[in-house]
DNA sequence: TCAAAAGTGTTCCTGTTACACCCATGT
DNA sequence: ACATGGGTGTAACAGGAACACTTTTGA
């Protein structure tokens, strides 16, 4: 199990205090936050009760949906103006967090009542974000639960339809990397071609021809070569590249 | 102006009666319904007050979002299980129908009050649907307003952000026809290659090479050739094709 | 038989696939 | 010098663009 644990926060108190009148009462945001470490794609999950779920939140009346999403991402990771893309709508009729919330409240000793507004049925807007794991730092607040980066291939039991949301993001990432070669925050600013090559293979879940890959990447004109890197590995030293700054 | 007018219904009465407790109070569906006639793409719009808007509706608590969308499409066009695809979310913070509704209520002599639930801020889920104009038949109900098929290039003034929703659909249709060659309901069951060719040109808004087009279409294996059509046009008679029935 | 419209073929070009080869470096 | 891994080159192939050509039909 290649997870590393932190302490994380559910901003339940804030949500309770602001309550019904501050948020759209039937819309939630779920966020698939994706990182890359040790040649594996990872996904940030929170633990509530016995199962896990995606980080998420609600939309304030004075926020646009996109603002709310950026805000949630910042709350969860500390990142501002990071990569963030709308994924899909999940609108099945029985989508409600009642069971999850009850378990969470009982576990943390908080009072739970049937008519809390977040027991409503929620339609969820799913987003996904690519982040540099090392640059994220979680905020800790009143009610702390575990959170962890899970390998995509080792997802735990998750609440509701959250596993299918993650899988939707997984597929979407595949499509997106074919169109825009951007790796956003998945690699450090400077990286070698073999590293980029590895990442693409991991995302696409298949072998790519090394020579073809190099030519394709260079022909996009998106990358610029830096002076060579000194490595102590057996073979030849790879060049370093970085994304041209225009984007 | 190549519009043809009908009489149409806003199911306002139903919405009023069922009211607050039957619908998700902050989510609406807007639908870009697209047809094709006389070599022009057309879009179905309703008139309320002085401006036009997209057909749409709300989501009942006992419906999934997709069910609600199918239901709305059926109400507006009479079509069941037709082509219907999710488009995008429109979630700006000041999206509300207050102004539109007030104008509509005053015009039709209905009582209007500030606190009607549909004066709320709404986040809108946009869908688009390709239909055969000749197979649509509008339902008429308590409150009738004009509705019309507008050419994409001659859109009228529209309420709120509805014009940008239409344009999003216009772009999406372009992308989609590149990937799946399906024309769904835009052409009759049997059609000639020149007709299909015309349609693609209109959707993509550019000239295509006739020869390349024909080979590409036939190479997909999606179409099967029927006995020739008798036409009284000057030149050679074109073959008829139809989509193979598997899809 | 000629013009109009439908449909086919040929050439060029670009991007993909698969494979072989060369280069730099540490042991 | 040689194994290891980084990087380049070439031939075969498929799909797209541009253009010329043949076929069928009504006047």
């Amino acid at each position: 199990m290649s997870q590393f644990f932190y302490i994380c926060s559910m901003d339940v108190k804030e949500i309770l205090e602001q309550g019904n009148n501050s948020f759209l009462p039937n819309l939630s945001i779920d966020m698939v936050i994706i990182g890359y470490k040790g040649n594996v794609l990872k996904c940030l999950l929170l633990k509530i009760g016995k199962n896990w779920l995606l980080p998420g939140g609600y939309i304030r009346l004075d926020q646009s949906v996109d603002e709310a999403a950026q805000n949630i991402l910042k709350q969860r990771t500390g990142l501002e103006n990071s990569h963030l893309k709308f994924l899909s709508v999940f609108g099945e009729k029985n989508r409600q967090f009642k069971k999850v919330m009850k378990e969470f409240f009982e576990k943390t000793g908080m009072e739970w009542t049937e008519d809390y507004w977040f027991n409503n049925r929620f339609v969820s807007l799913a987003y996904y974000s690519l982040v540099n794991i090392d640059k994220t730092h979680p905020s800790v607040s009143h009610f702390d639960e575990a959170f962890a980066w899970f390998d995509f291939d080792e997802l735990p039991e998750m609440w509701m339809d959250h596993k299918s949301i993650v899988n939707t993001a997984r597929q979407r990432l595949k499509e997106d990397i074919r169109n825009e070669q951007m790796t956003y925050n998945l690699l450090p600013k400077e990286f070698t071609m073999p590293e980029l090559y590895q990442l693409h293979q991991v995302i696409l879940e298949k072998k790519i021809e090394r020579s073809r890959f190099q030519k394709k990447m260079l022909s996009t004109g998106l990358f610029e070569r830096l002076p060579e890197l000194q490595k102590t590995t057996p073979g030849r030293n790879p060049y370093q590249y970085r994304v041209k700054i225009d984007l």
Side-chain angles (χ1 to χ4, degrees), chain A:
Chain A
M1 285 287 270
S2 46
Q3 311 158 16
F4 33 107
F5 280 82
Y6 293 95
I7 293 301
C8 166
S9 71
M10 277 287 300
D11 301 309
V12 176
K13 187 143 192 192
E14 183 194 350
I15 288 169
L16 273 177
E17 282 164 0
Q18 305 205 359
N20 207 338
N21 296 322
S22 300
F23 295 99
L24 298 183
N26 292 96
L27 256 188
S28 61
I29 290 179
D30 289 318
M31 203 163 289
V32 185
I33 301 174
I34 300 173
Y36 180 66
K37 192 157 192 165
N39 287 345
V40 179
L41 283 175
K42 289 173 187 291
C43 173
L44 182 63
L45 299 181
L46 308 175
K47 189 167 191 186
I48 289 191
K50 64 179 188 296
N51 291 342
W52 296 77
L53 84 172
L54 290 170
Y58 303 98
I59 300 152
R60 299 168 58 104
L61 296 177
D62 60 355
Q63 286 177 319
S64 74
V65 173
D66 283 338
E67 283 166 9
Q70 278 289 358
N71 209 43
I72 288 165
L73 181 60
K74 189 186 170 188
Q75 272 182 276
R76 296 298 176 198
T77 64
L79 299 172
E80 280 190 84
N81 302 316
S82 192
H83 170 266
L84 186 59
K85 226 170 157 179
F86 177 71
L87 187 62
S88 184
V89 175
F90 291 80
E92 287 311 302
K93 53 188 154 200
N94 50 0
R95 290 189 88 260
Q96 50 182 24
F97 270 93
K98 210 179 216 172
K99 203 172 152 198
V100 192
M101 284 303 187
K102 189 171 181 188
E103 194 163 315
F104 175 67
F105 272 56
E106 283 168 355
K107 189 178 174 189
T108 54
M110 289 179 65
E111 185 192 0
W112 184 85
T113 66
E114 181 86 23
D115 58 342
Y116 272 142
W117 68 283
F118 48 73
N119 288 333
N120 294 348
R121 170 199 169 174
F122 278 92
V123 171
S124 182
L125 305 176
Y127 282 74
Y128 81 104
S129 173
L130 303 178
V131 303
N132 183 331
I133 290 183
D134 295 325
K135 285 192 181 162
T136 61
H137 26 76
S139 67
V140 181
S141 139
H142 319 289
F143 303 94
D144 296 332
E145 283 277 322
F147 91 85
W149 291 95
F150 279 88
D151 291 4
F152 264 109
D153 301 325
E154 300 176 354
L155 294 176
E157 283 300 306
M158 295 174 71
W159 288 111
M160 296 187 33
D161 52 3
H162 280 202
K163 192 168 268 183
S164 73
I165 297 179
V166 174
N167 288 329
T168 305
R170 186 84 181 77
Q171 292 311 310
R172 180 64 161 277
L173 182 54
K174 272 190 207 182
E175 294 164 25
D176 283 0
I177 197 131
R178 289 179 187 278
N179 302 329
E180 358 161 8
Q181 279 73 32
M182 301 302 291
T183 57
Y184 297 101
N185 311 301
L186 296 183
L187 289 179
K189 259 211 181 68
E190 274 125 42
F191 50 87
T192 66
M193 203 44 83
E195 284 167 347
L196 185 63
Y197 170 64
Q198 250 312 108
L199 174 59
H200 276 243
Q201 286 195 142
V202 169
I203 289 176
L204 295 171
E205 293 181 293
K206 68 170 190 182
K207 294 270 170 217
I208 314 174
E209 260 299 312
R210 180 70 178 76
S211 70
R212 205 182 65 70
F213 177 79
Q214 180 118 353
K215 267 179 289 186
K216 184 175 175 182
M217 288 302 120
L218 295 179
S219 72
T220 63
L222 281 171
F223 306 99
E224 64 181 346
R225 179 181 284 183
L226 305 175
E228 281 200 32
L229 162 77
Q230 296 304 327
K231 267 173 58 174
T232 40
T233 47
R236 176 178 177 175
N237 289 350
Y239 295 106
Q240 293 217 101
Y241 294 87
R242 74 172 164 215
V243 175
K244 283 188 187 168
I245 324 117
D246 2 305
L247 298 166

